Amino acid sequence: MAPINQENFDYDLVVIGGGSGGLACAKEAVQFGAKVAVLDFVKPSPRGTKWGLGGTCVNVGCIPKKLMHQASLLGEAIHDAQPYGWKFAEPESVKHDWATLTESVQNHIKSVNWVTRVDLRDKKVEYVNGLGYFKDAHNVVAVMKNQTERVLNTKNVVIAVGGRPRYPNIPGALEHGITSDDIFSLPHEPGKTLVVGAGYIGLECAGFLKGFGYDATVMVRSILLRGFDQQMATMVGDAMVEKGIKFLHKTQPQSVEKQADGRLLVKYRSDDGTEGSDVYDTVLFAIGRTACTDDLKLDQAGVVTAEGGKSDKLDVDSFETTNVPNIFAVGDVLYKRPELTPVAIHAGRLLARRLFNNQTDIMDYADVATTVFSPLEYGCVGMSEENAEAKFGKDKVEVYHAYYKPTEFFVPQRSVRYCYLKAVALLEGDQKVLGLHFLGPVAGEVIQGFAAALKSGLTMKILKNTVGIHPTVAEEFTRLLITKSSGLDPTPATCCS
């Protein structure tokens, strides 16, 4: 393919950030003849943790999280196996080894780091291991490991720097706490752990730690899973309590003090003024993330962050363009966009196609499916029940719901108390489906296919006329007949009729 008209620029595109979105954009752009460089540099966490090329998802996000979640599920499966006829000489001797897990997880991550480097080389994307900042709108400076600086002159820039976990502004938090940046490579057993924060990252971490046999407590400032359907969020929490995970509601930490024995004394205060304290081996903060825009010197390129410069995130138009015409942004650095790896990847690819292949498709940020990998998983796509009612009015929305019993749970007599799903739909006509919510095993695998259906205009009429695959948990969506407004019991009487 003929090279892009470079107009005397050294590069057609410089991408700042070697995570999912930035890499996808860079690799797509070179296919159309663009000359591309990717800058990536990982600042160590306050604890000193650092990692290789690939961004949050590969190194300290989705991939190690899913592996540790899987490790936790395997622990449950071992106990389930006995009533299914599998015999162990000493079942009580089955225990988890943290060091083996972290070594296996880190070995996999390092292999992905290597494959990512090779892939960039093969695709002729120049990789620069340097921290980027703007000299001006067309010149990006890479600060190398030895503190030398290299200037890259480019026609276009994509900001894909993502974010990093925040710490609370309390004594001892930074010195003694860890975040998701550190947990997946922690060099010692976490032991009794306090997780501060009840977003999906906090709940997932608490879930797999409890699965390995560690004492886990979640400290909740306000609500669980802000931004998600709150009925489902409450049920996720209740299912975690059933697993033995403790919750401190309406509570905030006040200080973290290291004691003589090395353990951490956490003092906390509830909304009603009640004060308390407890001692933990590990304190993990999962209270939100901050976009990595501070180092970029955006003002030198004329880029203004969201909320008129008050936010650390970037506002973009429907073409991912910032307020400077040749500077774009994708991924978790964006303001009020889903912070999800596949979103960043898709947006990055579409951006490259528009810039270098005359395509016009734009990113659709609506109805993006996601899953919380809590012990009992929660998958959803589309609108929450409360958002649907707020937009269309409670009298215009119908909710179909049901409890169900996974076949796999019967023999080991696992709890089915929180296995539940619902469809949020418009009341009129064929009842267009606005949102689907599923709490139960393999929720991500279940919700993915239904996400495509919802994007295609799924209605309750179509859903009811879809024949399920029996016996699966996904088929439960095709068996939704009871509405909340009917007041009928949504508990199933039998599985096969």
Side-chain angles (χ1 to χ4, degrees), residues 32-237:
F32 307 122
K35 186 178 180 185
V36 181
V38 171
L39 277 63
D40 188 63
F41 188 89
V42 180
K43 279 187 167 182
S45 73
R47 189 185 178 87
T49 308
K50 53 186 178 181
W51 49 86
L53 180 63
T56 298
C57 174
V58 164
N59 293 282
V60 288
C62 326
I63 300 304
K65 176 271 299 288
K66 183 71 184 293
L67 292 173
M68 289 199 168
H69 175 63
Q70 171 66 6
S72 177
L73 294 181
L74 287 170
E76 279 192 303
I78 290 170
H79 294 291
D80 284 359
Q82 294 174 72
Y84 274 111
W86 290 98
K87 300 298 181 188
F88 301 94
E90 296 177 38
E92 65 279 355
S93 71
V94 176
K95 64 188 183 88
H96 185 263
D97 183 68
W98 176 260
T100 301
L101 173 65
T102 52
E103 183 181 4
S104 298
V105 168
Q106 293 306 313
N107 284 344
H108 173 69
I109 290 169
K110 287 181 176 65
S111 74
V112 178
N113 296 150
W114 171 250
V115 168
T116 305
R117 287 282 298 270
V118 171
D119 193 34
L120 290 184
R121 187 184 66 202
D122 291 348
K123 287 185 167 64
K124 305 294 190 291
V125 176
E126 184 181 345
Y127 166 62
V128 181
N129 185 205
L131 188 65
Y133 72 85
F134 285 96
K135 185 177 179 183
D136 56 49
H138 288 284
N139 290 282
V140 174
V141 180
V143 183
M144 312 304 281
K145 279 185 178 178
N146 60 6
Q147 296 306 302
T148 60
E149 296 193 346
R150 177 185 164 194
V151 180
L152 290 82
N153 174 250
T154 180
K155 181 177 181 180
N156 300 293
V157 182
V158 170
I159 300 169
V161 293
R164 296 288 287 272
R166 283 195 292 113
Y167 281 80
N169 185 22
I170 60 170
L174 206 59
E175 297 88 340
H176 307 308
I178 65 167
T179 67
S180 56
D181 278 359
D182 311 296
I183 188 66
F184 304 113
S185 58
L186 200 65
H188 55 80
E189 284 191 274
K192 181 181 176 181
T193 302
L194 173 67
V195 177
V196 181
Y200 75 93
I201 295 172
L203 297 188
E204 288 172 343
C205 289
F208 64 66
L209 289 173
K210 180 61 182 176
F212 302 147
Y214 302 114
D215 185 305
T217 300
V218 179
M219 187 175 285
V220 189
R221 179 175 61 88
S222 54
I223 59 173
L224 271 64
L225 295 175
R226 181 180 300 281
F228 289 86
D229 185 283
Q230 281 303 292
Q231 180 198 4
M232 303 305 292
T234 299
M235 294 182 78
V236 169

Side-chain angles (χ1 to χ4, degrees), residues 383-399 424 434 484:
M383 301 181 80
S384 66
E385 185 175 344
E386 49 266 52
N387 284 354
E389 290 179 350
K391 181 172 181 178
F392 297 103
K394 191 175 177 67
D395 58 338
K396 298 286 198 303
V397 172
E398 187 65 276
V399 178
V424 181
L434 304 171
K484 280 192 175 182

Side-chain angles (χ1 to χ4, degrees), residues 270-284:
S270 300
D271 281 2
D272 62 6
T274 304
E275 295 190 348
S277 66
D278 205 345
V279 177
Y280 301 92
D281 299 301
T282 301
V283 179
L284 190 157

